[in-house]
Amino acid sequence: MPSKMIVHRTAAMRKALAAATGLWLAACIPDPAAAQAGAASSIQETLDIGDEPGRVSTEEAVISEGPYARQAVFFRSNEPPGTLVIHTAERFVYLVQGNNRALRYGIGVGREGVQWSGLVKVSRKAEWPDWRPPPEMIARQPYLPRFMAGGPGNPMGARALYLGSTVFRIHGTNQPETIGHAISSGCFRLANGDIIDLYTRVPVGTKVVVRHGASL
């Protein structure tokens, strides 16, 4: 099982309007049909957990201790400062700082079968993004809403960074306990307090490198 992490609760979140509307969003929240991986390592673990639209977290969640806490780390890379490097196997996203340093955040990643790698750019940013489950997800989970406005109860969380022309995003979550697990349908999720911090540091146009392997 993954190393124990402590989720620290801070001040109450305020609902905000989504920065933009009109773009349908693919599902980046857990699929209840996903099976648990048999390996003991947290790198292989997949959570079998249902969606929780409407779960209201009235406090911002920040992972303050343990391996998934936001921290400055040694990180050797040829990528220029400002680049985001995502390692799905490690469950981390690195914001390259230069001089072999990076700011590291713990993430939840896509479950087995929907993980991906590639090179994209941040094409758009949104605060409290709306959620529109696509038809294929509605078919699997007919109880889901067809539309949910952005806010504390939204599975998309507090912020979203849209990745190129894909349907994938780096976004927040109303389930911070899922950080460090393979849980989504291909997106990368951070605790709300962490995605808010990352959002302020990453402009549109930022290069994003998505890798499967744990080593550079």
Side-chain angles (χ1 to χ4, degrees):
M1 294 297 295
S3 300
K4 181 179 180 182
M5 61 184 179
I6 298 176
V7 176
H8 176 62
R9 304 289 185 178
T10 61
M13 290 187 295
R14 297 181 180 274
K15 292 183 67 176
L17 293 176
T21 58
L23 179 67
W24 71 270
L25 303 181
C28 289
I29 58 176
D31 184 338
Q36 278 193 316
S41 169
S42 64
I43 294 301
Q44 300 299 325
E45 184 168 356
T46 298
L47 283 186
D48 183 9
I49 185 171
D51 305 325
E52 297 187 65
R55 172 180 175 181
V56 177
S57 300
T58 56
E59 299 170 315
E60 293 176 3
V62 176
I63 299 173
S64 59
E65 295 185 18
Y68 300 117
R70 181 172 73 240
Q71 56 191 291
V73 296
F74 177 81
F75 185 71
R76 183 171 293 167
S77 174
N78 293 325
E79 300 295 344
T83 302
L84 285 176
V85 180
I86 296 172
H87 281 294
T88 57
E90 292 182 355
R91 312 291 200 255
F92 293 126
V93 56
Y94 298 86
L95 177 58
V96 178
Q97 304 286 291
N99 297 319
N100 293 325
R101 303 294 292 177
L103 190 58
R104 189 181 76 184
Y105 303 78
I107 60 174
V109 302
R111 65 186 185 278
E112 186 177 355
V114 295
Q115 295 181 4
W116 59 282
S117 60
L119 176 63
V120 292
K121 289 186 177 181
V122 173
S123 55
R124 179 182 165 226
K125 299 169 60 175
E127 298 184 11
W128 294 108
D130 294 337
W131 178 44
R132 296 176 177 85
E136 57 269 24
M137 189 166 199
I138 295 295
R140 292 196 306 267
Q141 302 170 71
Y143 62 87
L144 292 177
R146 273 48 177 176
F147 170 83
M148 178 176 274
N154 193 306
M156 294 297 297
R159 302 288 187 273
L161 305 174
Y162 295 76
L163 301 180
S165 60
T166 74
V167 297
F168 302 115
R169 294 162 301 283
I170 302 170
H171 63 80
T173 179
N174 63 347
Q175 295 174 302
E177 68 277 10
T178 63
I179 302 305
H181 296 274
I183 186 68
S184 79
S185 293
C187 289
F188 308 102
R189 58 172 59 188
L190 288 77
N192 275 337
D194 288 335
I195 190 62
I196 290 171
D197 181 86
L198 183 62
Y199 185 95
T200 64
R201 300 173 187 269
V202 174
V204 171
T206 293
K207 179 181 179 182
V208 182
V209 182
V210 182
R211 293 177 173 148
H212 279 308
S215 60
L216 291 174

